[in-house]
Structure formats: structure tokens, C-alpha cells
Amino acid sequence: MVEEWCVPEHGAEFVAAMEDVLAVYERPYDPARPVVCLDESSRQLVGEFREGLPARPGSPGKRDYQYVRNGVADVFMAFEPLANTRRAIPARRRGREEFARVVRHICDETRPGAERAVPVTDDPDTHGTASPCAAFPPEEARRLADRPGIHLAPRHGSWLDMAETGIGVLMGHGLPARVPDYDTFCRLREAWEDDRDARGGGVDWQFTNADARVKLKQLYPKITA
């Protein structure tokens, strides 16, 4: 049984946001306007309560089930689906300021020659165009707000953000069950990023607006003549 709060919102607002994101994905590659999917996740940092026992012939390694809490680390995934590159950008906490710094990183370091980055993301409360104002002086905030053209996935539509897949791979397979501290977290995510780029793992996105109008027609408002 699906609870009501998990069901996508019906109506024009959901459909408009979904079609906007899908239309962005149908654009051909343009290095002057690169599409960058953004998502974020966090990982609790836990250290060992006491030193484990190494593996021996006929006996696997052992570690204590208790652990030491060392806070939380956040990571932003900036994934360019058409260029097939990703950047896993660490942060010590989640907030508008951190998102604004990620936007600046994309604009000034990852794609400094681009005329305008085109981010696709979710969570309008944190990832909106107001975020630069929370992190930088007015002049810098205005510069950053002018450069990216942010496209927001609808609520209950985070599956439209391709970076969600990449961050799931990082959290599920790129990091061990226990990461003891922030510095280790940063080293591991960098190693994962390099390996993933070298392997060329990408996303073969096939879902279009034409598909949505057929497969998700129940989400569209009913228009009567």
C-alpha cells in the first residue's frame, strides 16, 4: 500500500516542472551551456570503538559492533550526463551556503568558459536561486544568480535528477560501511570519482516528454473542451 504523501502531486505544477526538466535532457550537447545535474546526500561518520581482529586462516576478520560517532559529512554530486563526468564535492554540513559554493565551483572552476551552466536539481528550499544571497556579498551573489539557469524537478519527482543515480552509487558502493572522519571521507570520494570517470560509467536516459504524456497521463490535468 502506498501512503498518500508518497504519491506525486497531480496538476499543472508537477507536470510543468517535469516537462521542463525532460526538455532540458533532450537538448544536444552545448559546451557553452552544459547541463549539470546536482544532488546531495550525507553520511554519518563512525570510528571503531576498539581495534578489530585481523583475518586468519579459517577465520574472517572481526570488529566490534559498537562504534564511535564522529559527526556527519555531506557530499554534492555534480554530474554532466552528456560529457559523462562527475564531481563529488564534499561539505561539512548541508545548507543554502554550501549549495551556493557548489554553484560557484561549477561556474568558476569546472566550467569557467561556459556562457551559462544549466543545473538540474531538486529541493527548492535549499537549491533555489536565492542560495547565493545566503553565502556571498550582493555583487557576487548577483553574478552567480545570473550565470546558472536552474531547473527544478517537482516535489516527489527527484527521480528526474540524474545525479541521484550517481550519488546512490557513491554511497552504496564507493564508500565502506564505516567512514571514520571527514578527511577519510574526502579521500574516498575523490578516489571513487577518479575511478568512475576512468570507467566511463554514464546514464542512458531514454524517458522523454512524449513518453511521459503516455505513461504518466494520470498525472496530467484533465482538460475538457
Side-chain angles (χ1 to χ4, degrees):
M1 178 178 179
V2 179
E3 297 182 9
E4 183 179 357
W5 63 270
C6 292
V7 178
E9 302 167 3
H10 294 59
E13 183 177 350
F14 180 92
V15 167
M18 177 180 66
E19 291 223 350
D20 176 60
V21 170
L22 292 177
V24 170
Y25 289 164
E26 293 182 40
R27 297 176 184 176
Y29 178 64
D30 182 356
R33 292 174 175 263
V35 174
V36 184
C37 298
L38 291 172
D39 196 14
E40 67 175 304
S41 186
S42 58
R43 168 62 70 89
Q44 181 177 331
L45 303 174
V46 294
E48 300 295 340
F49 181 75
R50 60 180 176 178
E51 187 175 355
L53 299 176
R56 295 177 298 176
S59 177
K62 297 179 178 66
R63 66 183 181 192
D64 200 311
Y65 69 90
Q66 295 189 32
Y67 54 84
V68 179
R69 298 177 186 271
N70 291 323
V72 176
D74 203 71
V75 63
F76 288 85
M77 183 65 64
F79 173 59
E80 282 193 58
L82 296 180
N84 196 17
T85 59
R86 75 274 302 139
R87 293 292 175 267
I89 305 167
R92 290 191 177 273
R93 67 185 185 91
R94 172 183 177 175
R96 285 187 169 188
E97 296 89 345
E98 285 68 33
F99 178 73
R101 293 187 180 95
V102 169
V103 171
R104 182 166 69 173
H105 177 82
I106 294 170
C107 291
D108 295 349
E109 298 181 35
T110 304
R111 287 294 187 181
E115 174 188 331
R116 178 185 289 270
V118 183
V120 174
T121 186
D122 58 4
D123 191 357
D125 296 333
T126 304
H127 300 165
T129 55
S131 295
C133 294
F136 304 114
E139 296 81 4
E140 177 69 355
R142 182 70 265 163
R143 181 184 74 87
L144 292 174
D146 285 342
R147 284 203 66 188
I150 296 177
H151 297 260
L152 289 171
R155 294 187 185 277
H156 305 304
S158 62
W159 53 273
L160 289 161
D161 184 357
M162 282 192 254
E164 186 176 84
T165 301
I167 211 163
V169 174
L170 169 61
M171 292 299 180
H173 304 284
L175 298 175
R178 294 185 181 182
V179 180
D181 52 58
Y182 184 75
D183 290 340
T184 303
F185 178 83
C186 292
R187 289 196 300 271
L188 290 172
R189 64 88 204 168
E190 183 177 11
W192 173 87
E193 177 186 294
D194 293 341
D195 178 71
R196 195 72 177 169
D197 280 344
R199 291 171 180 265
V203 174
D204 184 16
W205 188 269
Q206 299 289 329
F207 196 63
T208 66
N209 273 322
D211 297 321
R213 292 165 191 169
V214 175
K215 297 180 180 180
L216 300 179
K217 63 180 181 180
Q218 73 277 9
L219 300 181
Y220 284 69
K222 301 300 185 288
I223 307 298
T224 56

